[in-house]
Amino acid sequence: SATTAFNLLLVTAAQLVMLWAVSSYRSVTMAKRDRDKRQIDGLELALAEIDHRTKNNFQISISLLTMEAQRTDNAALKLALSRAAARLQAVASVYHNLAVSSVGLGQIRLHEYLADICQRLREGLLTPAIQLDLRADPAVVSQELAVRAGLIVNELVTNAAKHAFPDGVGRIEVVLAVQGDRLLLAVGDNGCGLSAMPRGDGLGTRLVHMLAQQMAAEPVVNSNGGTCHEFRIPLAAS
């Protein structure tokens, strides 16, 4: 009948309109997705270039400091330049770990970052007679906390390597442990102990105290058959 035909025509028209709307929405969505992807690709390329330049700048600065340390005959200046290069390397390592050890923007797997720092110290500072071990629980922290913890480890391991072993033989251990709502960061050695080491009022000591304060850490130093520095860091600070 005419009514049935008219109703069929209305239904068909409604379906055509719906198909057009869906098709249009899909086209607009795909076009927007393509634009967003191009923008994201552009931003990723820009970030990669910035990251590349940042790493290069770090390496240039580290190389210059290392070169000057090798050229000088002044023992005190050589040590100062070498330690400055090591400190800068500890900071530079974060950028590498932000890419390979990250779980999100600005988040670092601290255990992997400390493993990288310890390996660099083994290769660039320690003799085969000084053993450096790391025991670390998995822990994800902010980039800022990672930098501070890494610098503390760098300073204390360097200090132990320079002063704790008069005979040039010994063992250093770095520990990272998750303890409830806190992280325990410890650097210990089996060396001569604090009483036989130089007074700790230099730049390195002041730097360690400042970094601990910034992390709201509770530093404890024990000297019994060696020296152990412990820092209890609130997880809220990470």
Side-chain angles (χ1 to χ4, degrees):
S1 66
T3 301
T4 301
F6 180 72
N7 289 338
L8 182 60
L9 181 62
L10 285 177
V11 170
T12 302
Q15 288 178 333
L16 289 173
V17 169
M18 183 174 293
L19 286 173
W20 172 83
V22 170
S23 178
S24 297
Y25 175 77
R26 182 175 298 169
S27 298
V28 170
T29 301
M30 291 182 66
K32 184 177 184 302
R33 185 177 62 185
D34 290 341
R35 287 196 303 271
D36 291 344
K37 186 178 185 304
R38 287 195 297 271
Q39 290 177 344
I40 291 172
D41 289 344
L43 287 172
E44 288 180 346
L45 183 62
L47 287 172
E49 179 63 21
I50 292 171
D51 183 60
H52 178 69
R53 289 176 182 271
T54 300
K55 289 179 181 178
N56 282 347
N57 290 337
F58 270 125
Q59 291 307 316
I60 289 171
S61 299
I62 293 166
S63 297
L64 288 173
L65 287 169
T66 303
M67 188 183 305
E68 290 301 318
Q70 293 171 347
R71 290 173 58 182
T72 183
D73 294 327
N74 186 310
L77 180 58
K78 184 186 291 290
L79 177 60
L81 290 171
S82 298
R83 297 191 74 162
R87 288 166 183 148
L88 192 56
Q89 182 65 68
V91 177
S93 295
V94 170
Y95 289 90
H96 170 72
N97 280 272
L98 187 57
V100 301
S101 302
S102 64
V103 294
L105 187 61
Q107 295 291 305
I108 299 287
R109 292 186 178 96
L110 183 56
H111 51 295
E112 294 182 5
Y113 173 47
L114 293 181
D116 182 69
I117 286 181
C118 288
Q119 184 58 34
R120 292 178 186 275
L121 288 168
R122 292 187 193 98
E123 295 172 353
L125 174 69
L126 303 179
T127 67
I130 298 179
Q131 179 181 346
L132 175 59
D133 296 325
L134 170 68
R135 292 189 294 113
D137 293 341
V140 176
V141 301
S142 68
Q143 180 178 344
E144 291 78 9
L145 192 149
V147 169
R148 291 162 182 156
L151 284 171
I152 285 176
V153 169
N154 182 82
E155 288 298 318
L156 294 177
V157 170
T158 300
N159 192 60
K162 297 292 183 182
H163 303 295
F165 310 112
D167 57 358
V169 179
R171 177 175 177 268
I172 305 170
E173 183 178 47
V174 177
V175 175
L176 175 69
V178 179
Q179 298 182 337
D181 61 349
R182 293 178 180 270
L183 291 175
L184 169 65
L185 177 65
V187 180
D189 64 70
N190 64 348
C192 60
L194 286 177
S195 60
M197 295 176 66
R199 183 179 175 184
D201 56 0
L203 175 61
T205 299
R206 295 197 301 271
L207 178 61
V208 168
H209 288 167
M210 179 191 72
L211 294 168
Q213 186 176 36
Q214 290 174 348
M215 294 188 298
E218 300 174 10
V220 176
V221 183
N222 298 309
S223 185
N224 184 15
T227 304
C228 183
H229 298 259
E230 295 184 353
F231 305 84
R232 285 177 170 77
I233 308 164
L235 281 173
S238 66

